[in-house]
C-alpha cells in the first residue's frame, strides 16, 4: 500500500531543490563574490550617471513635468494595444468574426492616437 503523501513527493523535492539553490546563491554572492571582485572605487565610478548624461538635479525629491507622466500613460495605452493583438492573431484563423471586432478596436485606438498627436502629446520638450 502506497503512502498517502507519495503523489506530493516530486513537489517536495522541487521545493527542496529551490530552497537549497536560493540559499546557495545568497551565500555565494555574500561570501565568495567579494573575494573575487576588485575593490578600487574611483570618483568617476561613484558619480551618478543617467541616460548618458550627468544628473541634472541632486536628491530624489525633484519634480517631473506632466509630459513625463503623459508619455508614460500613452506608452501603457499602446502597449496594451500590442498585448491584445497577439491573442487576436491566434484566433483569427479559427473565427473570422473577430476581424470586425479588431477593426473597431484599432479604429478607436487610431482616433485616440490622432487626438494625442494633434494635442502635441508626442513632442518632448526640454
Amino acid at each position: 500500500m502506497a503512502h498517502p503523501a507519495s503523489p506530493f513527493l516530486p513537489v517536495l523535492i522541487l521545493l527542496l531543490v529551490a530552497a537549497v539553490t536560493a540559499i546557495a546563491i545568497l551565500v555565494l554572492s555574500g561570501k565568495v563574490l567579494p573575494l573575487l571582485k576588485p575593490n578600487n572605487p574611483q570618483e568617476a565610478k561613484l558619480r551618478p550617471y543617467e541616460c548618458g548624461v550627468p544628473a541634472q538635479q541632486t536628491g530624489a525629491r525633484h519634480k517631473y513635468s506632466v509630459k513625463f507622466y503623459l508619455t508614460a500613460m500613452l506608452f501603457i495605452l499602446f502597449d496594451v494595444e500590442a498585448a491584445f493583438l497577439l491573442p487576436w492573431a491566434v484566433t483569427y484563423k479559427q473565427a473570422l468574426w473577430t476581424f470586425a471586432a479588431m477593426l473597431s478596436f484599432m479604429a478607436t485606438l487610431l482616433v485616440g492616437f490622432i487626438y494625442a498627436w494633434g494635442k502635441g502629446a508626442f513632442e518632448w520638450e526640454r
Side-chain angles (χ1 to χ4, degrees):
M1 179 173 216
H3 193 272
S6 63
F8 299 104
L9 186 61
V11 175
L12 181 64
I13 292 172
L14 178 67
L15 290 175
L16 185 64
V17 168
V20 168
T21 303
I23 291 171
I25 288 172
L26 288 174
V27 168
L28 288 174
S29 67
K31 301 290 183 193
V32 176
L33 192 61
L35 299 175
L36 298 177
K37 69 176 185 174
N39 187 12
N40 57 350
Q42 300 169 0
E43 184 181 346
K45 289 183 180 180
L46 299 177
R47 272 189 271 140
Y49 187 78
E50 297 176 3
C51 301
V53 296
Q56 296 176 353
Q57 297 176 347
T58 58
R61 300 266 180 211
H62 61 278
K63 294 182 180 181
Y64 291 103
S65 71
V66 176
K67 285 282 196 184
F68 175 79
Y69 297 107
L70 182 62
T71 304
M73 287 190 297
L74 287 171
F75 172 76
I76 290 171
L77 172 74
F78 291 111
D79 189 43
V80 169
E81 170 197 354
F84 278 130
L85 285 176
L86 181 65
W88 171 75
V90 170
T91 61
Y92 176 64
K93 290 182 181 179
Q94 298 168 354
L96 293 177
W97 63 270
T98 59
F99 186 69
M102 186 51 65
L103 277 179
S104 67
F105 177 70
M106 294 298 286
T108 305
L109 283 174
L110 182 64
V111 168
F113 181 77
I114 292 170
Y115 177 77
W117 194 351
K119 288 290 185 178
F122 300 118
E123 297 172 9
W124 190 267
E125 298 170 346
R126 289 190 173 193

